[in-house]
Amino acid sequence: MSASLELDPILVSYYDSIVRVSNLKTLDKSNWLDDNIITFAFEYVQNESKFLKDNQNLFAFVSPPVVQLIKMSDDLFAEQLLQSIDFLEKKFLILPINDNRQVTEFSGSHWSLLILSIQGRNIFFFRFINKKKTFPSEKILYHFDSMSSLNDRTAKEMQKKLKIFFHGDIHLINSRCPQQANGFDCGLYVIVVVEEFCRYIQEYCSMKNLNDKNFFEQFMDEINRCITSEYINQRRKQLKTLLESMSSNKKK
């Protein structure tokens, strides 16, 4: 083990995620979350929810390092990476993105979230209508950005990779996302939007009208109502407490 890793021991190992002491510090107030915290949060959502365990056909979660590799790779290798994820039988592909321009180095300044509605004719698909266009039964990539359209370039880069993979058009929609009030909470917004999306799907599945075409519009209304700056601060504290608790239990 290198000296740097010895000085930065593993705090929690949970399924396919590892959180080190340095990663935990990114959950301190005013810090920008790193890849490992977002990866852990996604693993936790998948493995602690009975609903998701019972409905594994719903989501495919992709970790930030893999998303970054897809984004920065040439088209052929990106297509091979997407094939390896094996998500085509799922309904939604979850992709956290950031504006890092490096493949191997931790950098970047902003996180946002892409959700791909994979099966165009599944019960969750709706026909998105604006003043100019109607997109019937096509794959749609929803971009949730807590700083307006700051990650628009990155979202379009991922859209291009997905177009090549599917050999067809992917429509990118800039979704109505709650907006952060500072320069460091973007990673928390990604985590919380995913948590709320999973919760909303669970509630939506129990409704009688499963063919409601306004599914995503209603979800946008919901997150803009319930995700506030206070809630984001609360989730930051809760995630840190959870990881500290898991570390303490591991030592016993």
Side-chain angles (χ1 to χ4, degrees):
M1 180 184 295
S2 67
S4 60
L5 291 181
E6 288 180 353
L7 294 173
D8 190 16
I10 292 174
L11 190 72
V12 171
S13 178
Y14 180 82
Y15 289 88
D16 290 333
S17 67
I18 290 177
V19 176
R20 295 182 179 274
V21 170
S22 63
N23 306 135
L24 184 70
K25 291 179 180 177
T26 70
L27 281 167
D28 289 342
K29 187 177 180 181
S30 302
N31 283 343
W32 191 80
L33 296 197
D34 66 10
D35 295 35
N36 291 40
I37 296 295
I38 294 176
T39 300
F40 166 78
F42 282 10
E43 288 291 327
Y44 196 82
V45 166
Q46 294 175 78
N47 292 288
E48 298 299 324
S49 167
K50 182 178 183 303
F51 171 75
L52 291 189
K53 284 186 175 181
D54 293 341
N55 295 273
Q56 295 185 16
N57 64 317
L58 285 175
F59 301 106
F61 293 82
V62 187
S63 68
V66 174
V67 174
Q68 181 70 7
L69 191 55
I70 292 170
K71 183 185 77 176
M72 300 304 296
S73 297
D74 62 66
D75 292 342
L76 178 60
F77 188 54
E79 188 171 4
Q80 293 172 345
L81 284 170
L82 285 165
Q83 288 174 347
S84 71
I85 297 170
D86 191 25
F87 63 92
L88 292 178
E89 297 304 315
K90 311 288 186 177
K91 288 183 169 62
F92 300 104
L93 183 65
I94 308 296
L95 299 158
I97 60 173
N98 69 39
D99 57 358
N100 182 7
R101 311 309 305 169
Q102 306 297 322
V103 178
T104 59
E105 295 182 15
F106 175 72
S107 63
S109 61
H110 185 55
W111 291 104
S112 61
L113 175 70
L114 293 172
I115 299 178
L116 177 67
S117 180
I118 300 166
Q119 300 178 18
R121 296 185 184 275
N122 68 61
I123 60 175
F124 300 113
F125 177 79
F126 78 99
R127 191 172 292 200
F128 183 90
I129 299 175
N130 62 22
K131 293 181 180 179
K132 295 182 179 180
K133 296 181 180 179
T134 301
F135 305 139
S137 299
E138 294 168 333
K139 294 175 177 61
I140 298 182
L141 187 63
Y142 299 91
H143 186 204
F144 294 87
D145 192 333
S146 59
M147 291 194 75
S148 187
S149 57
L150 188 62
N151 258 1
D152 186 59
R153 175 185 175 184
T154 304
K156 288 178 179 177
E157 289 171 342
M158 288 302 298
Q159 177 193 25
K160 177 176 177 288
K161 301 297 185 183
L162 290 166
K163 280 183 178 181
I164 293 170
F165 176 78
F166 283 106
H167 303 285
D169 210 0
I170 304 287
H171 293 285
L172 179 64
I173 302 297
N174 288 319
S175 306
R176 290 183 290 110
C177 181
Q179 297 295 287
Q180 63 192 82
N182 53 49
F184 49 80
D185 273 339
C186 50
L188 267 299
Y189 277 85
V190 167
I191 290 171
V192 170
V193 170
V194 169
E195 291 173 342
E196 289 299 313
F197 189 62
C198 295
R199 180 191 61 78
Y200 191 74
I201 290 282
Q202 182 174 358
E203 294 180 0
Y204 199 83
C205 281
S206 65
M207 294 170 58
K208 293 181 180 179
N209 186 14
L210 294 179
N211 292 310
D212 186 353
K213 294 178 181 178
N214 293 317
F215 168 73
F216 265 95
E217 281 295 323
Q218 292 172 359
F219 173 65
M220 291 177 213
D221 289 340
E222 176 69 10
I223 59 175
N224 280 279
R225 180 189 63 81
C226 70
I227 299 178
T228 62
S229 296
E230 292 75 17
Y231 184 63
I232 291 294
N233 290 336
Q234 180 183 4
R235 286 300 293 134
R236 181 185 284 271
K237 294 174 184 176
Q238 289 171 342
L239 272 171
K240 185 175 183 181
T241 300
L242 172 63
L243 283 164
E244 289 172 339
S245 173
M246 292 173 71
S247 175
S248 298
N249 291 336
K250 183 183 70 172
K251 294 174 182 177
K252 291 180 181 178

